Amino acid sequence: MLHIALQFIRYDKAKSIGTLLGIIISLFLVGQQSGVFVFLTNAMSSLVDNTATDLWVVDNRTTNVNALAKLDIRLLREVGSLPGVRRAYALVVAGGAASFPNGTSAGVQIIGSEAPLFRAGPKELVQGAFADLIPDGAMSFDQFDRKTLGGSSVGSVFEIGGKRVYLATMSKGLRGFGAVYLFTTLERARYLGNVPTTQLSAVLVDVQPGADPIVVRDRINRSLYGVRAWRPRDFALATKKTVLGTSGIAVSFGSLIAFAVISGFFIIGLTLYSAAIDRLKDYGTLKAIGASNGYVARLILLQALIFAVVGFGLGYALIEGFRFGIGKSGVLFSYPWVLRGAFLGITLLISMGGAVFAIRRISGVEPASVFRG
């Protein structure tokens, strides 16, 4: 059957190429939109994902790390005194307006944590060392935010709210959602963001060795009023749900992906249908020599499967090329294995589903039709 299927594919090269291109283009569009969506959802929770801690303690109404409410500084000592807590660290997040020597400006998010550990970041420095963030005015930025920061580089001097700062270190791939992250010490974040010494944005908790983070989390939630402790993974998920639920991002990307799948389904289906019409006598001949409708259906599905396998290989190669190319501009992401499996499933759905058009037409062909003029 494989030999016959390949013969049918070679019979009309133009339609075969058209079917293959339809699969490749549909898969590429799905992969492209999915990749950008993955990047955006990762950026929503990047502050949580890049902070090395066992628990986050925030205001009990907060479900979004990008919108942290201010807490009383006394909470830091209260959390640190609970059983199972090894140490509690303060985190301050403040907004600011940066002005650069070239006359441009940008909104920034200042992330301050205790030196020299800098639990909230930066992470994976590509230039400079963590000790470079301790001197007065030192800040850390991501290399992909250079353009937003007025073309700045390590050593560049600028102002935040009229206060002089400079870029001391540079990280790679630590980007915020709709904001440029600048990392510094806890005290400097307070100073630049005009945050009183009596307030903080969150408490980062390290549990004692052998302690269960879930037990410590529940203890904090029972013992302290007005706050909620989260495991990082749960807080990141809650952040994504909150942002997606209050914006049109999911609907926008979802509709584009659905359109790519539906259009691919009908384009491929009509192409296979047209190819089947051109080969009615060939299929009629198969029926005349004893082939059943089931055999013919399997033959058409095998052709569709061949198109799907080849199309997936070429389409996914293009997707990876897109991911590599867009990564150079700072849109960094990777496709999880579940999503790669979904790409394969979508490819099979488009191709095999489109084959139904041809199967329905061929099933009605009478074997005797091949003997008519």
Side-chain angles (χ1 to χ4, degrees):
M1 183 182 291
L2 178 60
H3 178 69
I4 297 175
L6 292 173
Q7 284 185 320
F8 272 95
I9 291 174
R10 288 196 297 264
Y11 175 81
D12 191 343
K13 292 184 175 63
K15 287 188 173 61
S16 296
I17 293 173
T19 301
L20 196 59
L21 286 176
I23 293 172
I24 293 172
I25 293 172
S26 295
L27 178 60
F28 178 75
L29 291 175
V30 170
Q32 181 189 53
Q33 296 300 318
S34 299
V36 176
F37 182 75
V38 168
F39 167 74
L40 290 176
T41 53
N42 287 342
M44 293 172 191
S45 61
S46 62
L47 184 57
V48 178
D49 297 331
N50 289 280
T51 299
T53 189
D54 294 317
L55 296 172
W56 281 70
V57 181
V58 297
D59 181 84
N60 62 355
R61 295 165 296 179
T62 298
T63 57
N64 181 1
V65 72
N66 303 294
L68 296 173
K70 292 296 184 285
L71 300 172
D72 194 296
I73 189 65
R74 289 174 293 183
L75 178 67
L76 184 66
R77 181 173 297 179
E78 293 173 352
V79 172
S81 66
L82 292 176
V85 175
R86 182 167 65 90
R87 185 171 175 183
Y89 302 88
L91 171 69
V92 168
V93 179
S99 302
F100 305 98
N102 64 358
T104 62
S105 60
V108 296
Q109 199 81 354
I110 307 164
I111 314 296
S113 54
E114 299 177 41
L117 297 178
F118 296 104
R119 302 302 295 272
K123 187 179 181 181
E124 298 181 8
L125 296 178
V126 294
Q127 191 171 346
F130 289 105
D132 296 332
L133 283 174
I134 296 177
D136 187 35
M139 310 288 287
S140 181
F141 74 111
D142 190 88
Q143 70 176 32
F144 293 114
D145 288 326
R146 280 176 169 170
K147 185 176 181 180
T148 306
L149 296 174
S152 300
S153 58
V154 171
S156 296
V157 178
F158 59 100
E159 292 184 349
I160 297 179
K163 301 166 184 175
R164 180 184 177 279
V165 296
Y166 71 97
L167 299 176
T169 69
M170 182 173 68
S171 62
K172 181 180 180 180
L174 183 49
R175 310 186 69 190
F177 179 69
V180 175
Y181 283 163
L182 292 178
F183 297 89
T184 189
T185 63
L186 184 68
E187 295 76 13
R188 193 168 301 123
R190 293 187 191 280
Y191 170 67
L192 295 173
N194 297 314
V195 178
T197 57
T198 57
Q199 293 181 346
L200 47 78
S201 301
V203 176
L204 308 178
V205 177
D206 285 351
V207 303
Q208 293 178 351
D212 186 346
I214 296 178
V215 173
V216 178
R217 177 201 65 187
D218 294 342
R219 183 176 294 126
I220 293 173
N221 291 335
R222 288 194 308 267
S223 304
L224 302 178
Y225 175 77
V227 298
R228 182 175 181 180
W230 295 82
R231 296 173 65 192
R233 180 174 57 187
D234 297 334
F235 195 28
L237 182 60
T239 294
K240 293 174 182 178
K241 288 182 177 179
T242 299
V243 176
L244 291 175
T246 55
S247 67
I249 294 176
V251 174
S252 176
F253 281 93
S255 60
L256 290 172
I257 291 172
F259 177 78
V261 173
I262 294 172
S263 61
F265 176 82
F266 283 102
I267 290 172
I268 294 165
L270 292 174
T271 304
L272 291 175
Y273 179 83
S274 176
I277 293 296
D278 293 341
R279 293 176 293 211
L280 280 179
K281 288 191 175 182
D282 296 322
Y283 287 112
T285 300
L286 287 175
K287 285 189 173 185
I289 61 177
S292 64
N293 280 334
Y295 177 89
V296 174
R298 290 194 297 272
L299 179 62
I300 295 174
L301 288 174
L302 179 57
Q303 295 175 58
L305 179 61
I306 293 172
F307 285 129
V309 171
V310 176
F312 176 78
L314 296 175
Y316 191 75
L318 288 177
I319 289 174
E320 284 296 321
F322 163 77
R323 185 176 71 86
F324 177 77
I326 201 172
K328 293 182 178 180
S329 64
V331 183
L332 303 174
F333 62 91
S334 61
Y335 294 107
W337 68 267
V338 174
L339 192 54
R340 293 196 294 268
F343 291 160
L344 178 58
I346 289 172
T347 305
L348 291 172
L349 173 66
I350 291 174
S351 184
M352 308 296 276
V356 172
F357 290 90
I359 292 173
R360 289 175 62 87
R361 179 64 183 89
I362 298 302
S363 296
V365 174
E366 293 294 334
S369 64
V370 299
F371 303 110
R372 297 172 189 159

